[in-house]
Amino acid sequence: MDAEAAMKFALQLARAATGQTSPNPVVGAVIIKDDQLVGFGAHLQAGEGHAEVKALEMAGEKAAGATIYITLEPCNHKGKTPACTELLIEKGINRAVIACSDPNGKVSGQGIERLRESGMDVEVGLFEKKAIALNAAFFHYIKTNLPYVTMKSAVSLDGKTATVTGDSQWITGEEARLDVHHYRNKNDAILVGVNTVINDNPRLTTRLPEGGKNPIRIIVDNSLRTPAHSHLINDGESATWIFVGDQVQQAEIDQFPKDPSVEIIQLPGKIKIEHVLAELGRREIMSLYVEGGAEVNGSFLESKLLNQLITYVAPKLIGGRTAPTSFSGTGLLTMDDAFPLEIKSLTQIGTDLKIIAEPIKEDK
């Protein structure tokens, strides 16, 4: 197995664990000796063995004199698990090919430096862009202490999210709706506004044929209007966090139905998206999937705290001057103020079009 094939396999291993490792990154490792695959592994969950450890366990004595391919710089500090650098040195790894360095201040460059100090041959940068993209949420979280925000919307070809009566079941086809559940599965939390809860009574769970992980459900509810009978309060499928403003009285909070899976989080003043994200970051929410309505989406647009936008466009025309669109709020005043995006992919999914776009970085 050549170097490129080995690193591609390591990236594949890492990708398979997306959504399981938060607040840690996904990492894959592959060990090659005499052109033969002798060990491989992936980090599967925070607190469990790192990818390098699992690959070394599989390789056993064959690790001595071998080359390891790792998607992310190995740690050089002892946390919940021992330092991977010391284990690589101890097991006699001869060469390490690392896709990208780790932005975490506890690691950043130190793991690479430690391996080189030991005399190990270290190469950095093979498929670096792919490795960074794979851990986009982790890199963003480490640098900002805020969750990586992915916003989803589903619209008709004329940009409507529902009819003038509010009917939105269903704009997109079954394939697109299933795709949404894959995103729920890989994000730590999912956010909606209270109007979505009142109007749709959603469950916000992951429903995939093969199962999946339910994200923490976040409700932005300035005045604590969440109905006590709603699924998010009663189903116990996952934790539900309700963000309220400081005008909500303690008596109202005390009277809200008590459930161990439901928590009311009071923020100062009227709720601002930046304050919600800061609190989620403090609680180690690394990735956030936004399925809100126009008001919530408008708040994210105004805050410009948006990392990825996924739009499903259905080949339907709805019309109607008052039919809702994806974004409301105060809006921007001039085209110069428009939030610039770069289209990253454009694919057909079932009968619908899926567009993935990301904000254009200022340094571009």
Side-chain angles (χ1 to χ4, degrees):
M1 182 180 285
D2 63 21
E4 290 195 357
M7 188 61 82
K8 284 180 179 177
F9 183 31
L11 288 166
Q12 181 182 346
L13 290 167
R15 188 177 296 108
T18 299
Q20 298 182 185
T21 63
S22 182
N24 291 351
V26 290
V27 183
V30 170
I31 299 176
I32 304 294
K33 186 172 185 180
D34 299 328
D35 295 325
Q36 299 294 312
L37 175 66
V38 296
F40 60 86
H43 180 48
L44 299 180
Q45 193 171 355
E48 293 187 359
H50 289 186
E52 302 93 321
V53 174
K54 294 186 177 183
L56 287 167
E57 288 175 351
M58 182 181 291
E61 295 181 357
K62 294 179 180 178
T67 297
I68 189 167
Y69 295 83
I70 319 171
T71 59
L72 188 69
E73 177 181 5
C75 63
N76 189 47
H77 64 283
K78 184 177 180 180
K80 293 181 179 179
T81 58
C84 289
T85 50
E86 299 306 317
L87 189 59
L88 292 171
I89 294 167
E90 177 189 329
K91 297 298 183 180
I93 290 290
N94 184 56
R95 182 168 179 260
V97 179
I98 301 166
C100 64
S101 59
D102 190 328
N104 190 333
K106 294 181 179 179
V107 182
S108 190
Q110 298 175 41
I112 293 169
E113 182 180 357
R114 175 68 185 105
L115 295 180
R116 284 176 172 159
E117 283 177 353
S118 74
M120 192 180 298
D121 179 20
V122 180
E123 176 188 338
V124 181
L126 181 62
F127 293 132
E128 181 179 36
K129 289 184 179 179
K130 289 182 182 295
I132 291 173
L134 185 63
N135 271 309
F138 172 74
F139 274 57
H140 174 78
Y141 176 72
I142 288 297
K143 292 175 182 177
T144 66
N145 292 318
L146 299 174
Y148 183 93
V149 177
T150 298
M151 180 179 290
K152 163 257 177 182
S153 62
V155 300
S156 61
L157 203 55
D158 56 340
K160 306 296 185 179
T161 59
T163 68
V164 292
T165 64
D167 182 24
S168 61
Q169 305 288 321
W170 294 99
I171 286 181
T172 55
E174 185 177 345
E175 294 88 348
R177 298 198 299 273
L178 181 62
D179 194 52
V180 167
H181 287 276
H182 285 287
Y183 283 98
R184 289 182 180 181
N185 180 56
K186 72 179 185 179
N187 278 273
D188 296 337
I190 181 170
L191 181 147
V192 297
V194 66
N195 288 334
T196 296
V197 180
I198 293 171
N199 296 330
D200 299 341
N201 193 19
R203 294 183 182 274
L204 304 181
T205 51
T206 297
R207 296 184 294 279
L208 294 169
E210 63 275 20
K213 168 183 67 72
N214 289 331
I216 294 171
R217 287 88 61 94
I218 311 294
I219 305 172
V220 177
D221 182 3
N222 201 60
S223 303
L224 191 53
R225 295 188 295 125
T226 298
H229 64 268
S230 61
H231 293 311
L232 300 185
I233 304 304
N234 295 284
D235 66 11
E237 293 288 343
S238 182
T240 297
W241 298 345
I242 307 173
F243 281 87
V244 300
D246 66 0
Q247 77 273 25
V248 176
Q249 300 299 310
Q250 186 60 46
E252 296 177 76
I253 295 174
D254 291 342
Q255 290 171 12
F256 199 82
K258 298 293 187 293
D259 187 286
S261 66
V262 179
E263 181 179 358
I264 296 175
I265 303 167
Q266 192 161 35
L267 297 177
K270 188 175 181 180
I271 293 177
K272 293 184 178 180
I273 290 300
E274 49 265 47
H275 294 163
V276 172
L277 295 182
E279 178 62 19
L280 293 180
R282 191 183 70 79
R283 292 171 176 243
E284 296 189 332
I285 298 298
M286 192 169 75
S287 58
L288 177 68
Y289 191 54
V290 178
E291 282 196 51
E295 288 295 329
V296 166
N297 291 352
S299 297
F300 274 92
L301 175 61
E302 289 166 15
S303 71
K304 297 186 178 180
L305 294 171
L306 173 65
N307 303 103
Q308 186 180 69
L309 176 65
I310 300 174
T311 305
Y312 301 93
V313 183
K316 299 175 182 176
L317 296 174
I318 294 176
R321 185 179 295 109
T322 60
T325 58
S326 297
F327 293 83
S328 61
T330 57
L332 303 174
L333 300 179
T334 69
M335 287 304 297
D336 288 339
D337 297 325
F339 191 49
L341 299 167
E342 178 182 1
I343 293 177
K344 292 295 186 178
S345 70
L346 186 65
T347 56
Q348 185 165 343
I349 178 165
T351 58
D352 305 309
L353 195 63
K354 177 183 178 183
I355 304 170
I356 299 180
E358 296 176 2
I360 294 176
K361 295 181 174 59
E362 293 181 359
D363 58 354
K364 280 197 171 184

